[in-house]
Amino acid sequence: MNHPPRIYLIGPMGAGKSTVGRRLADALGLPFEDSDRYIVERTGVDIPTIFDIEGEAGFRKREHDAIRTLTEREELVLATGGGVVTTPANRDLLGARGIVVYLYTPVETQLARTGKDRNRPLLQTEDPRARLEALMVERDPLYRAIADIIIDTRGGTVKSVARRVLKALEEPAGQETQP
Ligand code: S3P
């Protein structure tokens, strides 16, 4: 195997982490997991229900447990939830255990991709744009702090973004252009 066996995709809601991740895993012959799906499978309820019953703090705790377990896998392409980097211990685990790929996606593109999504509690607000902008201000530096590779997904298809990640993984320094 001439590629890293643990690849962790980070970035905001609507970045395409799951679709790109699945495609990357196929191309690399690695297993794929999505930490949100993993949590849903374990709890038997959807993400909005977890937020309703346990609040965001309860969800973050479950998310951290998922990240701790999933980063122990020897081989994995992992798509994470957009808020994964808000827990410092998650940043430590992801940064230490694998190659971290930040799918940079500006708010305009996120809005177009998330539309009227009912499955993302943080977007059930009067003004999703303002919410996404505030999250980006808070989280973009956290994504960058642990990223080995940064890919600008603007205007890209799932196929082209996956191809660019694959190319960046082949580079010795592992870095693409800084968006
Ligand atoms: C969240 C993003 C979601 C999910 C949860 C919270 C966030 O994942 O983990 O709704 O804090 O940005 P996606 O990034 O896959 O939408």
Side-chain angles (χ1 to χ4, degrees), residues 2-4 28 99 148-151 163-177:
N2 59 359
H3 55 79
L28 296 169
I99 297 288
D148 297 296
I149 294 169
I150 302 174
I151 304 283
R163 197 168 346 105
R164 281 160 53 212
V165 176
L166 288 169
K167 189 160 170 283
L169 287 169
E170 283 164 15
E171 306 288 328
Q175 278 286 356
E176 228 220 10
T177 48

Short mmCIF file of all heavy atoms in Angstrom, two decimals, residues 2-4 28 99 148-151 163-177:
data_model
loop_
_atom_site.label_atom_id
_atom_site.label_comp_id
_atom_site.label_asym_id
_atom_site.label_seq_id
_atom_site.Cartn_x
_atom_site.Cartn_y
_atom_site.Cartn_z
N ASN A 2 0.71 2.12 -1.00
CA ASN A 2 1.56 3.31 -1.01
C ASN A 2 0.79 4.58 -0.66
O ASN A 2 1.13 5.68 -1.03
CB ASN A 2 2.25 3.47 -2.37
CG ASN A 2 1.24 3.58 -3.48
OD1 ASN A 2 0.04 3.53 -3.20
ND2 ASN A 2 1.69 3.73 -4.71
N HIS A 3 -0.31 4.39 0.06
CA HIS A 3 -1.05 5.55 0.55
C HIS A 3 -1.28 5.34 2.04
O HIS A 3 -1.24 4.21 2.52
CB HIS A 3 -2.38 5.70 -0.18
CG HIS A 3 -3.23 4.46 -0.12
ND1 HIS A 3 -3.97 4.14 0.99
CD2 HIS A 3 -3.41 3.46 -1.01
CE1 HIS A 3 -4.59 2.99 0.76
NE2 HIS A 3 -4.27 2.56 -0.43
N PRO A 4 -1.51 6.44 2.77
CA PRO A 4 -1.73 6.26 4.20
C PRO A 4 -3.02 5.46 4.46
O PRO A 4 -4.02 5.66 3.77
CB PRO A 4 -1.88 7.68 4.72
CG PRO A 4 -1.82 8.59 3.56
CD PRO A 4 -1.63 7.81 2.32
N LEU A 28 -9.25 3.56 -2.98
CA LEU A 28 -8.06 3.12 -2.24
C LEU A 28 -8.19 1.69 -1.71
O LEU A 28 -7.24 1.14 -1.15
CB LEU A 28 -7.78 4.07 -1.07
CG LEU A 28 -7.44 5.52 -1.45
CD1 LEU A 28 -7.45 6.42 -0.22
CD2 LEU A 28 -6.08 5.57 -2.13
N ILE A 99 -4.03 10.89 8.43
CA ILE A 99 -3.87 12.05 7.54
C ILE A 99 -5.21 12.79 7.52
O ILE A 99 -6.24 12.20 7.20
CB ILE A 99 -3.54 11.58 6.10
CG1 ILE A 99 -2.20 10.85 6.07
CG2 ILE A 99 -3.55 12.77 5.14
CD1 ILE A 99 -1.00 11.74 6.26
N ASP A 148 -3.64 18.16 7.23
CA ASP A 148 -2.41 17.87 6.47
C ASP A 148 -2.60 18.31 5.03
O ASP A 148 -1.64 18.64 4.34
CB ASP A 148 -2.13 16.36 6.50
CG ASP A 148 -1.87 15.87 7.91
OD1 ASP A 148 -0.87 16.30 8.51
OD2 ASP A 148 -2.68 15.06 8.43
N ILE A 149 -3.84 18.23 4.56
CA ILE A 149 -4.17 18.55 3.17
C ILE A 149 -5.42 19.43 3.20
O ILE A 149 -6.35 19.15 3.95
CB ILE A 149 -4.48 17.26 2.38
CG1 ILE A 149 -3.22 16.39 2.25
CG2 ILE A 149 -5.07 17.58 1.00
CD1 ILE A 149 -3.51 14.99 1.72
N ILE A 150 -5.43 20.49 2.38
CA ILE A 150 -6.63 21.33 2.28
C ILE A 150 -7.08 21.36 0.82
O ILE A 150 -6.28 21.68 -0.07
CB ILE A 150 -6.35 22.77 2.78
CG1 ILE A 150 -5.87 22.74 4.23
CG2 ILE A 150 -7.61 23.62 2.65
CD1 ILE A 150 -5.42 24.08 4.79
N ILE A 151 -8.33 21.02 0.59
CA ILE A 151 -8.87 21.00 -0.77
C ILE A 151 -10.07 21.95 -0.81
O ILE A 151 -10.97 21.84 0.03
CB ILE A 151 -9.37 19.57 -1.15
CG1 ILE A 151 -8.27 18.52 -1.00
CG2 ILE A 151 -10.00 19.56 -2.54
CD1 ILE A 151 -7.25 18.49 -2.09
N ARG A 163 -10.64 12.98 -6.77
CA ARG A 163 -9.42 12.83 -7.57
C ARG A 163 -8.32 13.75 -7.03
O ARG A 163 -7.15 13.37 -6.94
CB ARG A 163 -9.73 13.17 -9.04
CG ARG A 163 -8.68 12.67 -9.97
CD ARG A 163 -9.00 12.70 -11.47
NE ARG A 163 -10.38 12.91 -11.84
CZ ARG A 163 -10.88 14.06 -12.33
NH1 ARG A 163 -10.12 15.11 -12.46
NH2 ARG A 163 -12.15 14.16 -12.67
N ARG A 164 -8.70 14.98 -6.63
CA ARG A 164 -7.70 15.91 -6.11
C ARG A 164 -7.17 15.46 -4.75
O ARG A 164 -6.00 15.64 -4.43
CB ARG A 164 -8.26 17.32 -6.06
CG ARG A 164 -8.20 17.92 -7.48
CD ARG A 164 -9.14 19.08 -7.65
NE ARG A 164 -8.93 20.08 -6.62
CZ ARG A 164 -9.91 20.85 -6.12
NH1 ARG A 164 -11.15 20.71 -6.55
NH2 ARG A 164 -9.63 21.74 -5.21
N VAL A 165 -8.02 14.86 -3.96
CA VAL A 165 -7.53 14.33 -2.66
C VAL A 165 -6.52 13.21 -2.95
O VAL A 165 -5.44 13.17 -2.34
CB VAL A 165 -8.68 13.80 -1.78
CG1 VAL A 165 -8.14 13.16 -0.51
CG2 VAL A 165 -9.67 14.91 -1.44
N LEU A 166 -6.88 12.33 -3.87
CA LEU A 166 -5.98 11.21 -4.19
C LEU A 166 -4.62 11.73 -4.66
O LEU A 166 -3.58 11.22 -4.26
CB LEU A 166 -6.59 10.32 -5.27
CG LEU A 166 -7.78 9.47 -4.82
CD1 LEU A 166 -8.49 8.83 -6.01
CD2 LEU A 166 -7.33 8.38 -3.85
N LYS A 167 -4.65 12.76 -5.49
CA LYS A 167 -3.41 13.32 -6.02
C LYS A 167 -2.58 13.92 -4.87
O LYS A 167 -1.38 13.69 -4.77
CB LYS A 167 -3.75 14.40 -7.06
CG LYS A 167 -2.57 14.92 -7.82
CD LYS A 167 -3.03 15.58 -9.13
CE LYS A 167 -1.88 16.32 -9.77
NZ LYS A 167 -1.61 17.61 -9.08
N ALA A 168 -3.25 14.65 -3.99
CA ALA A 168 -2.54 15.27 -2.87
C ALA A 168 -1.94 14.21 -1.94
O ALA A 168 -0.87 14.40 -1.37
CB ALA A 168 -3.48 16.18 -2.10
N LEU A 169 -2.63 13.09 -1.80
CA LEU A 169 -2.12 12.01 -0.94
C LEU A 169 -0.83 11.42 -1.51
O LEU A 169 0.00 10.88 -0.78
CB LEU A 169 -3.16 10.90 -0.80
CG LEU A 169 -4.37 11.20 0.08
CD1 LEU A 169 -5.44 10.12 -0.08
CD2 LEU A 169 -3.96 11.34 1.54
N GLU A 170 -0.68 11.54 -2.84
CA GLU A 170 0.52 10.99 -3.47
C GLU A 170 1.72 11.92 -3.34
O GLU A 170 2.85 11.51 -3.49
CB GLU A 170 0.26 10.73 -4.96
CG GLU A 170 -0.55 9.47 -5.19
CD GLU A 170 -1.13 9.43 -6.59
OE1 GLU A 170 -0.67 10.21 -7.46
OE2 GLU A 170 -2.04 8.61 -6.81
N GLU A 171 1.46 13.22 -3.12
CA GLU A 171 2.56 14.18 -2.99
C GLU A 171 3.31 13.89 -1.70
O GLU A 171 2.69 13.62 -0.68
CB GLU A 171 2.03 15.62 -2.92
CG GLU A 171 1.12 16.02 -4.07
CD GLU A 171 1.88 16.19 -5.37
OE1 GLU A 171 3.05 16.61 -5.28
OE2 GLU A 171 1.32 15.90 -6.42
N PRO A 172 4.64 14.02 -1.74
CA PRO A 172 5.41 13.74 -0.53
C PRO A 172 4.98 14.61 0.65
O PRO A 172 4.80 14.14 1.75
CB PRO A 172 6.86 14.04 -0.93
CG PRO A 172 6.86 14.18 -2.41
CD PRO A 172 5.45 14.40 -2.88
N ALA A 173 4.78 15.92 0.37
CA ALA A 173 4.43 16.80 1.49
C ALA A 173 2.94 16.73 1.80
O ALA A 173 2.48 17.21 2.82
CB ALA A 173 4.81 18.23 1.17
N GLY A 174 2.18 16.15 0.88
CA GLY A 174 0.75 15.98 1.12
C GLY A 174 -0.06 17.25 1.09
O GLY A 174 -1.20 17.27 1.52
N GLN A 175 0.47 18.34 0.58
CA GLN A 175 -0.28 19.62 0.62
C GLN A 175 -0.76 20.02 -0.76
O GLN A 175 -0.03 19.96 -1.74
CB GLN A 175 0.61 20.74 1.15
CG GLN A 175 0.69 20.77 2.66
CD GLN A 175 -0.58 21.29 3.33
OE1 GLN A 175 -1.52 21.70 2.69
NE2 GLN A 175 -0.60 21.24 4.65
N GLU A 176 -2.03 20.46 -0.84
CA GLU A 176 -2.53 21.07 -2.07
C GLU A 176 -2.41 22.57 -1.92
O GLU A 176 -1.79 23.05 -0.98
CB GLU A 176 -3.99 20.65 -2.31
CG GLU A 176 -4.21 20.18 -3.74
CD GLU A 176 -5.53 20.64 -4.32
OE1 GLU A 176 -6.21 21.48 -3.71
OE2 GLU A 176 -5.86 20.17 -5.42
N THR A 177 -3.00 23.30 -2.84
CA THR A 177 -2.98 24.76 -2.74
C THR A 177 -3.81 25.21 -1.54
O THR A 177 -4.78 24.57 -1.17
CB THR A 177 -3.58 25.38 -4.00
OG1 THR A 177 -4.80 24.70 -4.26
CG2 THR A 177 -2.64 25.23 -5.17
#
